[in-house]
Amino acid sequence: MRTRTAVVAALTAALVLTTAVPAPAAPGGPSRAAELIGRQALPANDGWAAAGTGTTGGSAAAPDRVRVVRTRAELVDALGGDNATNAADTTPRIVYVAGTVDGFEGPDGTPLDCADLADPEYSLAAYLAAYDPATWGRVTPSGPLEAARVRSVANQTRQTQINVGSNTTIIGLRGARLTGLTLMIDRVDNVIVRNIEFADARDCFPAWSPTDGDTGNWNSQYDQISVRRSEHVWIDHNTFTDGDNPDSAQPVYFGRPWQVHDGSLDVTHTASLVTVSWNRFAGRDKVMLIGSSNTVGPDVGRLNVTVRHNLFDGTLQRLPRVRFGQVDVHENHYRLGGPGFAYALGVGVQSALYAENNFFTLTGDTGPADLLYDWGGTALTERGTWVRQGDRLPRPVDLLAAYNAAHDPDLGGDAGWTPTLRASRPLPTPVVPFVVEAWAGAGRLPL
């Protein structure tokens, strides 16, 4: 265990970095501090993304592959020039985001809305009239209106899904924000995303799924960051929110909330070797899905992810939800509870979740037994958990024992592996909320 002096030193170092004053910027370019941070690689042994060749992103970029972008068109151009083919461009590059880049921005800078992306044969009013369960029944929508919705989704995907190639670093300058878009990291290797606020990756055309749950659900398509079929990805010091378009403000159709948001950061479709560190997830419903299907197949042996030193603040579920992978969740701070809260750690099919030294601050009637959910898994390793419940003093809690006392069947206590890819020994759990609060999220790097 670290000494008190070492803990204070670590916290002080984090605060110094947080408040550091960057060097003066060169005209039209990033500051010297930003140039140095833009070329940083993931440190050795820092989670699963450090395995094998490690994660260096665009650190080898030539000077002409270092760009500052302020618009969607500039972002697409900096990533290779053609959004349809950018994922295949492996040239090392560093992309600095300045200000707000909006996915709903046309090539000429004109703001777009959902109506601009809708197929001519689609309208929400007609869709609701056609597929009302009172007349359509509990049958998956089909026919011309559903086909028009699917074409509308394709239009939006071309507009708001920004494809990222291998050997890329995307890093925000101070105040950088990506709104209304998805960073798609698919079939690539070696990507770093840091110091950006992601807001409101909204779906204009949610799908009605009448057999999802007891009464059906609306489901959206777009994550804020989606990692698929990729390796060596480091997601660090970002903030994820719904911006000024929260789920609570959405209407209700067919008796269910109109769900326009999907995940904050999903790792699916055989992706692996991902480190998620020092991020802030605030006020979101679905946060982090690791593994998208219960089907035993290509995901087996994949989906290995490290989730460390993140703040989950007022989030409702998937913190993360895990299938198949060996997932190391350590030294995170969770502020949870209240209306809509579902669970924190989802133990899914063949998952091997290792949770260590996490701190939970709970409100309302949420208790330790509510923090796990069995999605078809059998076991997890859980140790060093502390809980502060309401006005009570923080205390160590055996989270697994609390869950098993309230639920059947019991979950086992051995995930079958022990993490080795950690850059340092874990902090004592009582210190975790102070360090994470000071250091997690966009705006903490000295850019």
Side-chain angles (χ1 to χ4, degrees):
M1 179 178 291
R2 293 184 179 184
T3 65
R4 180 184 298 272
T5 300
V7 170
V8 172
L11 178 57
T12 301
L15 290 171
V16 167
L17 284 170
T18 301
T19 57
V21 178
S31 68
R32 179 59 178 160
E35 290 175 353
L36 293 173
I37 293 173
R39 291 191 182 272
Q40 282 184 344
L42 176 69
N45 297 315
D46 194 349
W48 275 111
T53 57
T55 301
T56 59
S59 59
D64 65 337
R65 297 292 181 174
V66 179
R67 299 272 298 276
V68 178
V69 303
R70 295 173 174 83
T71 67
R72 178 192 176 280
E74 290 178 350
L75 176 60
V76 169
D77 188 60
L79 290 171
D82 183 353
N83 198 39
T85 61
N86 280 353
D89 190 332
T90 63
T91 306
R93 68 190 73 247
I94 301 172
V95 180
Y96 292 95
V97 178
T100 296
V101 174
D102 192 339
F104 285 79
E105 181 183 83
D108 61 354
T110 302
L112 304 176
D113 59 22
C114 292
D116 295 310
L117 302 176
D119 183 87
E121 297 182 18
Y122 174 86
S123 81
L124 177 57
Y127 193 88
L128 294 175
Y131 302 117
D132 188 333
T135 53
W136 180 261
R138 289 175 58 81
V139 180
T140 300
S142 62
L145 273 170
E146 172 62 11
R149 187 197 68 82
V150 171
R151 292 194 298 271
S152 301
V153 169
N155 293 341
Q156 180 172 352
T157 298
R158 286 189 292 270
Q159 174 66 35
T160 67
Q161 180 176 292
I162 307 300
N163 299 313
V164 180
S166 298
N167 307 316
T168 297
T169 293
I170 303 175
I171 185 164
L173 300 177
R174 187 163 296 277
R177 192 169 189 255
L178 296 180
T179 184
L181 60 76
T182 297
L183 282 188
M184 177 57 70
I185 303 170
D186 189 5
R187 293 185 174 92
V188 301
D189 180 79
N190 195 30
V191 174
I192 296 172
V193 181
R194 306 181 76 188
N195 201 50
I196 297 171
E197 179 188 350
F198 290 84
D200 192 20
R202 58 195 178 278
D203 188 339
C204 290
F205 314 103
W208 173 241
S209 303
T211 59
D212 181 1
D214 294 335
T215 59
N217 274 304
W218 294 98
N219 288 303
S220 58
Q221 175 163 311
Y222 302 104
D223 303 320
Q224 294 174 307
I225 298 178
S226 182
V227 182
R228 304 180 181 183
R229 293 167 285 238
S230 298
E231 290 187 340
H232 298 110
V233 178
W234 182 26
I235 308 297
D236 176 71
H237 278 101
N238 302 289
T239 296
F240 298 83
T241 77
D242 287 338
D244 58 1
N245 187 34
D247 288 340
S248 59
Q250 304 307 319
V252 172
Y253 299 126
F254 303 161
R256 301 298 300 157
W258 177 244
Q259 181 55 266
V260 300
H261 299 122
D262 199 15
S264 292
L265 169 57
D266 285 3
V267 181
T268 61
H269 297 82
T270 74
S272 199
L273 308 184
V274 178
T275 295
V276 180
S277 58
W278 299 110
N279 300 285
R280 181 178 295 250
F281 303 89
R284 300 215 74 242
D285 180 359
K286 302 171 184 176
V287 175
M288 192 183 310
L289 180 66
I290 301 176
S292 56
S293 168
N294 287 342
T295 302
V296 177
D299 281 335
V300 175
R302 308 286 296 172
L303 301 170
N304 296 330
V305 180
T306 296
V307 181
R308 68 165 185 87
H309 298 104
N310 301 282
L311 174 62
F312 298 91
D313 186 6
T315 49
L316 303 185
Q317 60 178 313
R318 302 182 181 179
L319 315 175
R321 175 181 172 179
V322 181
R323 296 177 171 100
F324 299 108
Q326 292 182 341
V327 177
D328 186 14
V329 179
H330 66 95
E331 299 167 87
N332 300 284
H333 183 202
Y334 296 82
R335 288 204 298 248
L336 307 174
F341 174 72
Y343 65 92
L345 304 177
V347 185
V349 173
Q350 294 188 23
S351 62
L353 201 159
Y354 195 105
E356 183 173 12
N357 287 22
N358 295 294
F359 193 104
F360 293 84
T361 300
L362 305 180
T363 61
D365 58 0
T366 300
D370 303 316
L371 298 177
L372 305 180
Y373 195 91
D374 183 358
W375 287 105
T378 58
L380 80 157
T381 300
E382 178 266 327
R383 56 194 298 177
T385 302
W386 279 58
V387 172
R388 178 193 295 121
Q389 192 165 8
D391 294 331
R392 303 175 192 174
L393 292 174
R395 60 190 176 92
V397 170
D398 186 332
L399 209 61
L400 184 60
Y403 173 84
N404 286 340
H407 300 87
D408 288 315
D410 285 0
L411 291 169
D414 184 2
W417 73 295
T418 301
T420 58
L421 288 167
R422 289 186 179 176
S424 61
R425 295 167 62 185
L427 288 168
T429 312
V431 177
V432 166
F434 300 102
V435 175
V436 170
E437 289 284 346
W439 192 220
R444 267 65 176 178
L445 295 175
L447 290 161

